[in-house]
Amino acid sequence: MVVTGASSGIGAATVRLFRLRGWDVVGVARRADRLATLRADTGADVFTADLTLQADVDALRDYLAATGPVHALVNNAGGAKGLDTVEAGSIEDWAWMFEINVLAVKRVTTAILPLLRSGIDSGAGSADIVTITSIAGHVAYLGGGGYNAAKFAAHAMTEVLRLELSGEPIRVIEIAPGMVKTDEFGLVRFNGDADKAFAAYDNVPDPLSAEDIAETIVSSVERPAHVNLDLIVIKPVAQAAPTRIARGSLKVREL
């Protein structure tokens, strides 16, 4: 099992849960110090890589090929930058969002697919590719600009991959979360501005946690091999749509 974006948030929670369920896991991320802590806490194997660099992805592929069969891949690494309009949005921010949300997923999938097939041939019977997108890849919203565009592309890529792998015992699963409260997503989006990063969650009853998404990922992989959860959209009850969010206590509406 390989999980990208494993140094924090959804990725770290996913590694922890897979380890609790008895899986051998390789957690992949850029930050070696965070990965070292994850390894010490969970016993997971780790690999430091910047997935926007082809040389790092090639090194990951070679490491995995040398250390054993791969049965599943969770493409979790991703992120957003800014809430600017399309007109005013930074080309550099857009390029970064496409690199991490689209091209990195393509790089890693291309590198690891042969290893998944080898794992099937060695007796696994089936394999899984899980890609974490977002409801931003299904519904556009003001300020979404580059993030919408990148996640729509990731969604389309996942759909095409499922068509391409038709006939092989490889499940292609897309999980599209809505509002998930983690320590870093908003900080990255707003260049470290904590006030802006956490304002989105103000007075929202029970936004999703990283552990909620990890549970969904693990459950989808642990279904019987003939069951494919093609697309899972998961939002907190307080969020009806990207920009339709209830704040304050949820209560029955008076008639």
Side-chain angles (χ1 to χ4, degrees):
M1 162 69 64
V2 180
V3 179
T4 69
S7 61
S8 66
I10 293 170
T14 300
V15 170
R16 293 177 189 280
L17 187 54
F18 270 122
R19 289 294 295 143
L20 284 173
R21 299 287 180 86
W23 287 75
D24 294 327
V25 183
V26 179
V28 182
R30 291 180 296 107
R31 293 175 290 188
D33 57 337
R34 298 275 189 106
L35 289 178
T37 299
L38 185 67
R39 177 171 54 195
D41 290 346
T42 67
D45 195 2
V46 297
F47 191 89
T48 304
D50 181 341
L51 302 180
T52 68
L53 301 177
Q54 188 62 47
D56 281 17
V57 175
D58 291 345
L60 171 63
R61 175 202 61 207
D62 294 346
Y63 177 78
L64 295 170
T67 54
V70 179
H71 299 140
L73 164 65
V74 178
N75 285 310
N76 169 70
K81 286 195 175 182
L83 279 174
D84 295 325
T85 64
V86 172
E87 180 183 13
S90 159
I91 286 294
E92 290 75 19
D93 286 351
W94 279 56
W96 181 86
M97 285 187 277
F98 269 80
E99 281 285 353
I100 193 61
N101 292 295
V102 184
L103 299 183
V105 174
K106 187 270 190 270
R107 291 180 195 274
V108 174
T109 301
T110 295
I112 294 182
L113 248 174
L115 304 182
L116 293 172
R117 290 188 175 109
S118 294
I120 295 169
D121 290 341
S122 66
S126 63
D128 296 288
I129 299 172
V130 183
T131 298
I132 312 306
T133 61
S134 169
I135 60 171
H138 297 263
V139 180
Y141 59 89
L142 285 171
Y147 190 56
N148 280 143
K151 287 301 190 181
F152 265 81
H155 164 63
M157 180 170 57
T158 304
E159 293 273 282
V160 173
L161 181 64
R162 190 179 300 113
L163 296 173
E164 293 171 347
L165 297 181
S166 177
E168 297 189 60
I170 302 174
R171 297 185 296 192
V172 177
I173 300 165
E174 178 186 352
I175 297 176
M179 177 179 279
V180 183
K181 188 176 182 180
T182 63
D183 291 338
E184 294 200 13
F185 181 85
L187 290 173
V188 172
R189 185 165 214 167
F190 295 108
N191 294 314
D193 187 325
D195 290 338
K196 287 184 178 180
F198 295 107
Y201 310 108
D202 285 349
N203 208 25
V204 176
D206 299 318
L208 297 175
S209 67
E211 289 73 23
D212 291 326
I213 308 306
E215 286 276 2
T216 305
I217 294 167
V218 173
S219 177
S220 70
V221 171
E222 292 187 338
R223 294 302 87 203
H226 70 286
V227 177
N228 193 59
L229 300 178
D230 284 21
L231 169 62
I232 305 166
V233 177
I234 174 171
K235 304 192 298 287
V237 173
Q239 183 180 38
T243 56
R244 180 69 171 175
I245 300 168
R247 299 183 187 271
S249 299
L250 300 178
K251 56 186 178 182
V252 176
R253 184 175 301 156
E254 295 183 5
L255 299 178

